[in-house]
Amino acid sequence: MQYFIHTFQMQNKPPVKRPILGFLLLFLAICNRAEGQSNALYGPLGVKSELAKAGVWNTPSFDFTHDFEAYKQFSNIKGLFFKGLDYNGKQTKVFCWYGVPNGLSKGEKRPAVVLVHGGGGTAFPEWIKEWTDRGYIAIAVALEGQVPGEKMEHTSGEKLWPGHEFYGPRRIGFFEDVVIKKLQDQWFYHAVADVMLATSLLKSFPEVDVESIGISGISWGGILTNVITGIDDRYAFAIPVYGCGFLHETPHYSHLLRLLSKEQQQFYLQNWEPSLYIPLQEQPTLFVNGTNDFHFTMNSFTKTYLASKNEKYLYVEHNMKHGHSPGREPEEIYAFADYVIKKGERFLKPKFKRLKRNNELVYGVDGKVMEAVLYTNSDTADWGRDNYIWQQISMRFSDSKKIISATLPKNAQAYFVNIIDSKGHIYSSPTRLVKKI
């Protein structure tokens, strides 16, 4: 049986160059608005224009607060509120935890990171502590009008974080408020704006190195990170965890998308789908995920990585759990930030070379590697979490240790490689598909 290699393809058509893409988006946005359509096409250019008019690149007014001292957990962290965008015609405020490394001297500047939580999450002080312990200033933004406290049961039966008087919108399902509400009142628009305003606030603090601000988001925060970095070039690095683009091709989100009206589906696909924004990113990016994540499956995750045109790397953990705690645990996240900001140890990439006729799979490595593992699966029919299992195969090293190889099982449908260095850091290749002919 002969084989050929098929990589994930974004589209059948060649990619549109950025200036042409921008002109087309602007032209279509003007046409749609002129026709008064409720599902106007904004796209990245139009969204960026609306956010600019709203002032998200300006420093918001803010106040530190001592109201939540019982919940901050660590002495180097404090709470603050900044002024958000108006929602339904009323003023909003956004709560954040803000932390600096212990021992920060007066006049000293440090790199910083903006932390973007996912669904069911909030601004977590322990997430900030992970970064301040490594020398970074950090700000974690509460994106649904929350303040610190214990979750309480809502009238809907959900357990929600406590809110405050000047709250903004909450996320409702998978973009269920699009079309129903105008763009400026949609949760995703406010979440994007809140993160960008938090970045503008960070840049105003004298202790922050304004050229060394990164961003990392988990789950929905990863989705937001991919969108924000497509329209905001102020970030030195990005680390989206789980969250990716091409959500309409995952089993979970494609189902949720079909529950929306046709007009809502169109609005999402034309205005908020992260794959519209990913090719516009410029900062170095580490994409993080697990092999069998329920929300963000490897087909869409891989296409997201391939759509990115900037310096990029992968960390794919076998059976990584989904959540805010496991999403901030990998040491590779912090090593990547150090690689970009502090000129730390170079990140590696296993590079596909060839698949021989005898099913011998060959990769090249560009650094000192202690271990290499091939992951394969034999069922990618729908990319459902429970319908495919990744098998692990130890790879062989050549004498030079610059080449690794393994025999690809004849029933393999997809595979990727992890290489591990002397510090135990994992570096992944993109997933490749195998099609039999």
Side-chain angles (χ1 to χ4, degrees):
M1 183 71 71
Q2 289 183 313
Y3 292 80
F4 72 92
I5 304 303
H6 171 73
T7 57
F8 289 87
Q9 299 294 323
M10 290 184 293
Q11 297 176 348
N12 292 326
K13 298 179 182 179
V16 180
K17 292 184 178 179
R18 289 187 190 183
I20 298 174
L21 176 63
F23 173 79
L24 288 174
L25 288 171
L26 179 61
F27 175 75
L28 289 170
I30 292 171
C31 291
N32 274 359
R33 291 180 195 182
E35 293 173 9
Q37 295 181 13
S38 61
N39 62 334
L41 172 61
Y42 293 90
L45 189 67
V47 168
K48 183 175 182 177
S49 175
E50 294 297 324
L51 289 165
K53 287 189 289 185
V56 299
W57 275 274
N58 302 327
T59 304
S61 59
F62 77 100
D63 293 292
F64 286 108
T65 177
H66 298 288
D67 291 346
F68 309 103
E69 294 291 296
Y71 297 100
K72 72 176 188 178
Q73 300 182 39
F74 310 103
S75 61
N76 62 327
I77 294 174
K78 50 189 174 181
L80 64 82
F81 284 99
F82 67 76
K83 185 178 183 298
L85 305 186
D86 287 355
Y87 172 58
N88 287 339
K90 72 178 184 70
Q91 179 186 343
T92 70
K93 292 183 179 180
V94 181
F95 178 81
C96 302
W97 285 118
Y98 175 71
V100 300
N102 287 314
L104 182 68
S105 303
K106 186 176 181 179
E108 184 182 4
K109 291 184 180 291
R110 292 290 185 92
V113 62
V114 184
L115 302 176
V116 191
H117 70 77
T122 188
F124 292 108
E126 55 268 39
W127 197 6
I128 286 187
K129 188 68 162 48
E130 291 279 9
W131 284 93
T132 58
D133 283 352
R134 293 166 170 84
Y136 289 78
I137 292 167
I139 189 167
V141 193
L143 297 174
E144 300 190 46
Q146 321 96 306
V147 290
E150 302 300 325
K151 280 189 172 183
M152 300 178 294
E153 191 160 323
H154 192 257
T155 53
S156 65
E158 296 178 87
K159 282 196 170 183
L160 303 174
W161 301 101
H164 60 91
E165 180 183 0
F166 297 100
Y167 61 88
R170 284 181 54 231
R171 179 177 66 87
I172 304 186
F174 183 77
F175 293 94
E176 291 179 25
D177 59 350
V178 300
V179 176
I180 294 172
K181 293 185 177 182
K182 64 180 182 179
L183 177 80
Q184 293 79 2
D185 285 333
Q186 294 171 19
W187 172 77
F188 200 81
Y189 179 85
H190 274 260
V192 169
D194 290 347
V195 174
M196 294 174 70
L197 283 165
T199 306
S200 298
L201 180 59
L202 264 187
K203 289 175 70 70
S204 73
F205 291 162
E207 62 269 27
V208 172
D209 178 353
V210 297
E211 299 300 320
S212 300
I213 298 175
I215 183 172
S216 183
I218 293 175
S219 196
W220 270 92
I223 295 173
L224 284 161
T225 296
N226 280 311
V227 168
I228 291 163
T229 50
I231 54 178
D232 189 346
D233 63 1
R234 295 179 292 176
Y235 301 100
F237 64 84
I239 308 171
V241 182
Y242 310 120
C244 63
F246 302 95
L247 300 180
H248 51 292
E249 298 181 25
T250 67
H252 178 61
Y253 288 117
S254 63
H255 168 72
L256 295 180
L257 187 64
R258 288 194 297 271
L259 298 179
L260 303 181
S261 70
K262 293 295 184 185
E263 192 176 17
Q264 287 178 304
Q265 293 177 39
Q266 183 182 19
F267 190 98
Y268 165 74
L269 291 170
Q270 292 180 336
N271 299 296
W272 286 133
E273 210 325 282
S275 58
L276 299 171
Y277 296 79
I278 289 159
L280 307 177
Q281 298 165 348
E282 297 180 357
Q283 76 295 318
T285 301
L286 174 66
F287 295 93
V288 176
N289 203 3
T291 54
N292 289 67
D293 194 86
F294 172 73
H295 303 274
F296 306 101
T297 45
M298 290 289 281
N299 59 326
S300 293
F301 178 73
T302 301
K303 288 183 72 170
T304 298
Y305 172 83
L306 295 175
S308 175
K309 294 177 171 57
N310 47 299
E311 182 183 357
K312 57 191 177 182
Y313 302 90
L314 280 167
Y315 171 88
V316 179
E317 181 180 319
H318 187 223
N319 289 333
M320 181 180 182
K321 292 182 179 179
H322 187 100
H324 287 93
S325 180
R328 64 174 181 264
E329 286 177 357
E331 283 298 323
E332 288 80 357
I333 289 173
Y334 311 100
F336 177 71
D338 286 349
Y339 158 70
V340 176
I341 299 298
K342 302 177 183 180
K343 311 302 180 187
E345 186 172 327
R346 183 170 62 95
F347 255 54
L348 307 179
K349 284 185 180 181
K351 298 177 181 178
F352 173 78
K353 293 288 188 182
R354 58 192 173 275
L355 179 61
K356 298 179 180 178
R357 287 186 176 274
N358 63 352
N359 269 17
E360 185 77 355
L361 181 64
V362 181
Y363 274 75
V365 294
D366 55 358
K368 189 174 181 181
V369 176
M370 306 303 292
E371 185 180 355
V373 181
L374 170 67
Y375 290 89
T376 73
N377 72 64
S378 58
D379 184 359
T380 60
D382 63 0
W383 295 98
R385 176 177 58 183
D386 299 324
N387 293 345
Y388 65 105
I389 298 172
W390 293 91
Q391 304 290 341
Q392 303 176 63
I393 301 171
S394 293
M395 302 188 75
R396 300 178 291 273
F397 287 86
S398 68
D399 291 339
S400 67
K401 293 204 170 181
K402 296 295 184 183
I403 297 293
I404 54 177
S405 61
T407 301
L408 186 68
K410 292 184 177 181
N411 64 346
Q413 293 187 7
Y415 62 89
F416 71 94
V417 167
N418 276 349
I419 55 176
I420 301 144
D421 69 10
S422 59
K423 294 183 178 180
H425 292 163
I426 295 172
Y427 310 91
S428 305
S429 73
T431 299
R432 298 176 68 88
L433 298 181
V434 180
K435 286 193 175 180
K436 299 177 182 179
I437 56 174

